[in-house]
Amino acid sequence: MLKILATDGIESSAADKLRSMGHQVDIQFYEPEALKKAVNEYDVLIIRSATKIKADIIDASKETGKFKLVIRGGVGIDNIDKAHAEANGIAVRNTPAASSASVAELAIGHMFSIARHIGIANHTMRVGEWNKKHYEGVELGGKTLGLIGLGRIAQETAKRAEALGMTIIYNKRSGADPAFPNYTFVDMDTLYKSSDFISLHIPKQAGKDYLIGKQEIEKMKDGVFLVNTARGGLIDETALCDALDSGKVAAAALDVFKEEPTKNERVLHHPKISMTPHIGAATGEAQTRIGGEIVQIIEKFFA
């Protein structure tokens, strides 16, 4: 029997499946100091974005050596010190494919929201304003979408955007991908100056505060739309708000923030930002797929 701790929750059918296999599954959130003590009791930790498995927690687990596997239910693993974990005999896994469609649909949804003023128009109507003449938008069809990264989520986003009549350009570190001849690989400067919409699909940059700051924004088209459903901290929030104020950036959509929950008042109250609270994978379908993939990882690892 394995003892499994799901600190940030787990889909109920996955928990039931693991229990039916004879494992103990505890679902409880621990603050970091408490987790240092609890980790010694478990073979497996399942986390999402709220819990961070850093060196101090890994070192604390050495007391018993029981902890052998940490699974991030989602795409990125930047909230896990992977190198330190593996150096101490702890395997790191994630579920990269399970939430791709859900995050891609949210990215497209945010594009519609900022292109057609859906979020702010909904708000102003609820406070008694009828600003019909204020909300002239733009169509997605015929526009160029620049994708930073071309992993699974970006590919799903591109597929949907192409169906809407958008032209897809992209940049990724490994260069052009021959598997996607319909999309055009460009350097970053070309992406910035050519894109009507820019959507980020990369992990957090090691050793960098952000990917897009004042200098990068200055290279962009006037009136560009920015979308970030990837990782908080990729966009300098101060530079973004300044660019929204000046009109350089027409609008932005953020599902992720440098600090979560965000306390940035300029971001929270900016009328040109469409916001959601890190809900990219928050669909029933994605959670079911994530849960199923977690079960498979545990089965395979301890086979």
Side-chain angles (χ1 to χ4, degrees):
M1 180 192 79
L2 299 172
K3 289 190 68 176
I4 301 167
L5 174 62
T7 61
D8 303 329
I10 186 173
E11 201 271 332
S12 59
S13 66
D16 291 343
K17 175 65 175 177
L18 290 167
R19 288 172 178 139
S20 75
M21 295 162 62
H23 305 312
Q24 176 181 326
V25 180
D26 296 335
I27 302 172
Q28 181 178 345
F29 179 75
Y30 285 90
E31 295 292 346
E33 287 303 314
L35 185 58
K36 287 180 187 178
K37 298 178 182 178
V39 69
N40 283 289
E41 302 175 21
Y42 292 94
D43 303 281
V44 181
L45 259 61
I46 300 168
I47 68 170
R48 296 296 303 274
S49 57
T51 297
K52 293 177 173 57
I53 305 300
K54 299 302 183 183
D56 56 345
I57 291 174
I58 293 163
D59 290 341
S61 73
K62 295 178 185 178
E63 185 177 319
T64 63
K66 187 177 178 66
F67 179 31
K68 295 299 181 186
L69 174 65
V70 56
I71 304 172
R72 162 76 160 90
V75 179
I77 55 171
D78 45 280
N79 56 334
I80 303 171
D81 189 334
K82 183 175 184 288
H84 196 64
E86 292 180 342
N88 285 276
I90 300 165
V92 178
R93 301 287 188 272
N94 64 341
T95 61
S99 58
S100 299
S102 294
V103 181
E105 289 188 4
L106 182 66
I108 294 292
H110 269 304
M111 289 182 207
F112 278 118
S113 180
I114 57 181
R116 298 302 305 274
H117 309 285
I118 294 171
I120 189 64
N122 176 64
H123 170 73
T124 54
M125 283 193 69
R126 291 174 186 273
V127 296
E129 298 179 16
W130 183 265
N131 297 330
K132 180 179 174 67
K133 294 182 179 179
H134 294 183
Y135 297 137
E136 180 177 304
V138 300
E139 298 176 0
L140 300 190
K143 302 301 187 298
T144 296
L145 171 62
L147 297 172
I148 301 178
L150 196 66
R152 291 178 177 88
I153 295 171
Q155 292 167 24
E156 292 294 327
T157 302
K159 184 192 306 181
R160 289 157 175 77
E162 189 176 28
L164 293 167
M166 303 186 84
T167 298
I168 311 300
I169 63 176
Y170 70 95
N171 179 275
K172 67 187 187 78
R173 285 179 296 180
S174 57
D177 191 332
F180 301 97
N182 292 349
Y183 312 149
T184 303
F185 175 82
V186 296
D187 60 45
M188 287 299 293
D189 282 354
T190 301
L191 187 144
Y192 289 143
K193 71 181 183 181
S194 302
S195 300
D196 302 295
F197 289 77
I198 295 175
S199 187
L200 281 68
H201 299 280
I202 56 173
K204 197 169 187 309
Q205 306 296 286
K208 294 182 68 174
D209 289 335
Y210 45 78
L211 173 72
I212 294 177
K214 181 180 179 181
Q215 291 183 336
E216 290 74 24
I217 291 171
E218 288 174 350
K219 298 175 183 179
M220 297 177 187
K221 274 188 177 183
D222 291 344
V224 68
F225 294 85
L226 296 182
V227 179
N228 187 11
T229 56
R231 283 292 178 267
L234 289 175
I235 300 176
D236 180 345
E237 293 175 353
T238 298
L240 173 62
C241 289
D242 289 344
L244 290 166
D245 290 343
S246 72
K248 176 67 178 182
V249 175
L254 304 175
D255 184 51
V256 289
F257 305 86
K258 184 175 182 179
E259 179 186 12
E260 296 185 357
T262 183
K263 297 179 179 66
N264 188 324
E265 291 294 322
R266 286 188 76 189
V267 171
L268 285 169
H269 299 292
H270 207 292
K272 294 183 180 179
I273 298 179
S274 173
M275 290 177 289
T276 44
H278 204 150
I279 60 169
T283 66
E285 295 89 343
Q287 293 307 305
T288 297
R289 290 191 296 267
I290 289 170
E293 202 166 333
I294 287 170
V295 172
Q296 291 174 8
I297 289 168
I298 292 172
E299 282 186 300
K300 182 177 179 180
F301 186 82
F302 290 99

